[in-house]
């Protein structure tokens, strides 16, 4: 158990819909990262927040957005969902600086 | 653009044997190289990590070898056990860039036969 929690574990929705994925980092970690894992693209970095502020952006679609709240939990919002958005979405957390990132159990999203 | 290339895609090893996974990177600014282990339906779990000022790091049966001039690093799993059957990912990040995103290799599926 990494100490990172993610909800929900599974999500099934339809194309065009909007969903919100939630992540709670390890106690004491200020950075939260979101990654997408799909069969064809592998593990891809989406976005990072540090203490409530966006720190870095990766290959994140404009339909996707994220935020980190004062209690340090983070939410990833996916809108206008397409079939290709079906994937595993992982959250990871770390303390400040280039240190180890610890991953949560992921949310499996299926868009039908 | 795949900045971290991982090979092989899969490998089968007998119990007690050595599993070797190789990774090569292009970005010379990378300065932190972790390895993750992932079981089906689970999140990646940090296994071991190395920085380029060290050529080798060992933790239990897992060893990372690092060759800075060749821009390559590898994971050796000694005395492989059936419980080691999983997908292994190498990754890299650059500490001086904004944020510390990890760039992952494509993964290696390891099967250890009893």
């Amino acid at each position: 158990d990494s100490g990172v929690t993610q909800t929900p574990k599974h999500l099934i929705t339809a194309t065009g819909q909007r969903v919100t994925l939630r992540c709670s980092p390890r106690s004491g970690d200020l950075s939260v990262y979101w990654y997408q894992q799909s069969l064809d693209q592998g593990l891809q970095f989406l976005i990072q927040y540090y203490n409530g502020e966006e720190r870095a952006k990766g290959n994140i679609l404009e339909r996707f957005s994220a935020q980190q709240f004062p209690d340090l939990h983070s939410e990833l919002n996916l809108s206008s969902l397409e079939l290709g958005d079906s994937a595993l979405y992982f959250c990871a957390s770390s303390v400040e600086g280039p240190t180890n990132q610890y991953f949560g159990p992921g949310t499996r999203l299926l868009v039908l | 653009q795949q900045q971290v290339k991982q090979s092989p895609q899969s490998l089968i090893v007998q119990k007690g044997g050595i599993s070797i996974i190789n990774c090569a990177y292009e970005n010379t600014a990378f300065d932190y190289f972790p390895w993750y282990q992932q079981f089906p339906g689970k999140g990646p779990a940090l296994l071991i990590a190395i920085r380029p000022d060290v050529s080798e790091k060992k933790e239990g049966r897992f060893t990372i070898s690092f060759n800075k001039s060749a821009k390559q690093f590898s994971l050796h799993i000694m005395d492989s056990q059936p419980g080691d059957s999983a997908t292994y990912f190498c990754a890299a990040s650059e500490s001086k860039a904004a944020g510390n995103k990890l760039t992952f290799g494509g993964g290696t599926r390891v099967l250890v036969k009893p």
Side-chain angles (χ1 to χ4, degrees):
Chain A
D1 183 0
S2 67
V4 179
T5 60
Q6 289 187 248
T7 57
K9 278 193 171 181
H10 304 277
L11 203 47
I12 302 175
T13 188
T15 55
Q17 295 297 305
R18 171 190 168 94
V19 297
T20 297
L21 314 182
R22 183 188 169 105
C23 165
S24 291
R26 295 187 319 158
S27 177
D29 285 358
L30 298 178
S31 275
V32 169
Y33 310 77
W34 286 97
Y35 292 86
Q36 179 193 60
Q37 185 174 37
S38 60
L39 284 174
D40 56 342
Q41 294 291 322
L43 269 162
Q44 297 262 322
F45 168 73
L46 295 178
I47 196 164
Q48 178 203 358
Y49 277 80
Y50 173 76
N51 202 21
E53 295 197 0
E54 183 183 302
R55 178 66 66 92
K57 236 175 179 177
N59 298 323
I60 187 167
L61 300 171
E62 284 193 14
R63 301 182 285 108
F64 296 0
S65 65
Q67 53 184 330
Q68 186 179 27
F69 295 87
D71 67 352
L72 301 178
H73 91 271
S74 178
E75 293 181 356
L76 180 66
N77 301 296
L78 316 177
S79 61
S80 304
L81 285 167
E82 302 175 359
L83 295 177
D85 297 327
S86 296
L88 273 165
Y89 291 85
F90 289 105
C91 165
S93 75
S94 73
V95 298
E96 181 179 5
T99 59
N100 300 330
Q101 293 182 26
Y102 296 90
F103 282 72
T107 294
R108 183 176 294 275
L109 173 67
L110 181 59
V111 182
L112 300 174
Chain B
Q1 180 190 3
Q2 187 184 3
Q3 294 193 49
V4 180
K5 294 185 179 180
Q6 185 171 345
S7 63
Q9 284 187 310
S10 63
L11 71 93
I12 300 173
V13 62
Q14 293 292 334
K15 179 182 175 182
I18 302 174
S19 304
I20 302 174
I21 306 170
N22 300 299
C23 286
Y25 62 97
E26 299 165 5
N27 185 354
T28 54
F30 285 150
D31 58 2
Y32 171 69
F33 303 88
W35 285 86
Y36 284 83
Q37 178 190 57
Q38 186 178 28
F39 294 103
K42 304 290 185 183
L46 180 65
L47 206 55
I48 186 173
I50 198 168
R51 299 194 186 276
D53 52 346
V54 175
S55 61
E56 186 174 283
K57 184 174 180 180
K58 182 177 180 180
E59 286 185 7
R61 296 183 294 107
F62 300 91
T63 300
I64 300 178
S65 298
F66 187 84
N67 186 330
K68 188 174 181 178
S69 60
K71 293 186 286 185
Q72 294 175 348
F73 57 111
S74 61
L75 176 70
H76 290 59
I77 307 174
M78 314 300 285
D79 186 26
S80 296
Q81 300 297 311
D84 297 331
S85 297
T87 300
Y88 294 81
F89 293 92
C90 63
S93 72
E94 49 178 303
S95 59
K96 291 183 174 59
N100 302 298
K101 66 169 186 175
L102 290 171
T103 300
F104 283 90
T108 297
R109 186 172 292 185
V110 174
L111 176 63
V112 181
K113 287 197 167 181

